[in-house]
Amino acid sequence: MTAAAGAAVALVGLITAAGPAAAAPPLCKPDVLRLEALPAGAPGGTFVDRVNALGRGDLAVGTSRQRPAYWQGARVHAVPLPAGYASGEVRSVNSKGLMAGTLKQAGTDNRVLFTYRKGAASVRLLSAPAPSPYEGKAFVSDTGRVAGLDGTVAKEWVDGQPARTLELPPGSDPRTRITEVNGVNKRGDILGSALLHHETQDGFVYRSYPVVWPAGGGPAQGLTPASEGDYSRTTEPTGIDNAGTVVGHESEGWRDVRRDVGHLWSAPYTAASTASPDLPGQSELIANAISPTGRVVVGMAYSWEDFGYPKPTQATYRTGDGPVRTLPTPTAGAHGEATAVSGDNRVAGGESSPTASRLLVWTCASQQATIPQG
């Protein structure tokens, strides 16, 4: 941002024989937008209020009051629900404004995938209602291809029609399952999660790792997991940038143990992942998202002691190989988390406290991110 600002200042005074140079772009203004919430809806949904992705301009998409929603600036808009559906989420949006998400059928565990454009009277359903033990996220590329789970089967849709099944990497143990689709980048590379968990009287086999399907077809590639063979540890990929860099974290949960370590996998994935440092003053880090370009990773830092949080969680921001920094919450002492990051220096997330619980967007986020002192 500093280099860009300097270039803008230089252009202001540049006058040639042909006339003045084009106007410099406006400098960003650091701010924290408090996003509106939808009116309270019917209880019983399973979706958590969250901003899942940031689109062009001031567009954000996600879930509000357990229903699919998008925001233009701070103003919230409901995505129309088809008859028989009471909850859902918008999980992603491409640069052309096409959204993709999941709906849950009222009173059942059935889910469907959909696409939507703002202002449309209805969503476009991609799949038939099907039960799934998994969350069933949906992601859309800039070419309009959608990837997600149809029940328990990972698929890709083109022009609203199933185009291919996302198969396991060659040589995989046939007992392995694709448990989630976790992201898609601009060119259409698809990120997912694979799990092998097989128990017998003689022991068990356990492997949890990211999978990448290349854009346009071709065999999937399995990435090296953060840990091998420990069923208390799960590798959870959460995003993929336009260069193919994958972000995620290794989560461990066992009795009174809870821990998270952020990880990065760089294409062509021939090396093991790189672990992220912690935020100073916190012991664990969840990596939630990576920017389309620029390698900005956002998430949440926390500490876990005696079955609780001894201090508030913090929204995190990290550029490249630099230190992990934190973004401020408007309410002092509130728990914070960052859940999405754009290519134009915006970060989305939220805060929660006994007096406030709301979704947020940090503008000019790099100027607001700081390293905690002490």
Side-chain angles (χ1 to χ4, degrees), residues 79-346:
V79 171
L81 289 167
Y85 294 87
S87 61
E89 68 171 356
V90 181
R91 192 71 199 190
S92 66
V93 59
N94 68 13
S95 64
K96 301 172 185 176
L98 181 63
M99 308 175 199
T102 309
L103 302 175
K104 187 173 182 293
Q105 212 170 27
T108 75
D109 290 327
N110 292 339
R111 296 173 184 263
V112 296
L113 277 64
F114 73 90
T115 58
Y116 179 74
R117 290 190 182 275
K118 63 180 182 180
S122 61
V123 301
R124 182 180 189 180
L125 298 182
L126 302 180
S127 59
S132 175
Y134 313 121
E135 189 173 346
K137 309 179 186 90
F139 295 87
V140 57
S141 71
D142 273 2
T143 60
R145 292 173 175 259
V146 177
L149 289 183
D150 184 357
T152 59
V153 180
K155 294 181 180 179
E156 184 181 37
W157 286 260
V158 178
D159 295 328
Q161 300 300 318
R164 64 167 167 159
T165 297
L166 302 176
E167 305 285 357
L168 290 168
S172 298
D173 187 309
R175 298 169 296 188
T176 305
R177 305 187 308 275
I178 300 299
T179 60
E180 202 68 84
V181 171
N182 302 93
V184 64
N185 62 13
K186 181 177 181 178
R187 67 190 177 205
D189 297 325
I190 300 167
L191 173 67
S193 299
L195 176 66
L196 170 60
H197 187 186
H198 183 71
E199 296 187 53
T200 68
Q201 292 182 344
D202 300 323
F204 72 94
V205 179
Y206 185 87
R207 197 164 191 261
S208 167
Y209 58 96
V211 175
V212 174
W213 293 270
Q221 183 174 355
L223 281 56
T224 303
S227 294
E228 292 269 11
D230 186 344
Y231 64 84
S232 70
R233 299 183 179 186
T234 301
T235 300
E236 301 183 17
T238 54
I240 182 169
D241 74 2
N242 293 340
T245 304
V246 170
V247 68
H249 48 269
E250 180 191 58
S251 294
E252 180 179 5
W254 177 248
R255 295 181 179 173
D256 60 342
V257 173
R258 180 177 176 182
R259 61 181 294 274
D260 285 280
V261 179
H263 283 265
L264 277 176
W265 291 260
S266 297
Y269 317 122
T270 54
S273 62
T274 301
S276 171
D278 292 325
L279 179 74
Q282 301 277 24
S283 60
E284 315 297 335
L285 181 71
I286 293 175
N288 282 325
I290 187 169
S291 63
T293 58
R295 291 281 297 277
V296 176
V297 175
V298 299
M300 183 182 77
Y302 73 94
S303 297
W304 181 257
E305 298 175 10
D306 300 324
F307 301 94
Y309 302 96
K311 59 187 74 174
T313 65
Q314 292 171 276
T316 59
Y317 181 102
R318 186 188 185 205
T319 302
D321 296 327
V324 180
R325 295 180 282 170
T326 185
L327 292 166
T329 53
T331 304
H335 288 277
E337 182 176 15
T339 56
V341 55
S342 70
D344 61 358
N345 211 3
R346 288 177 298 143

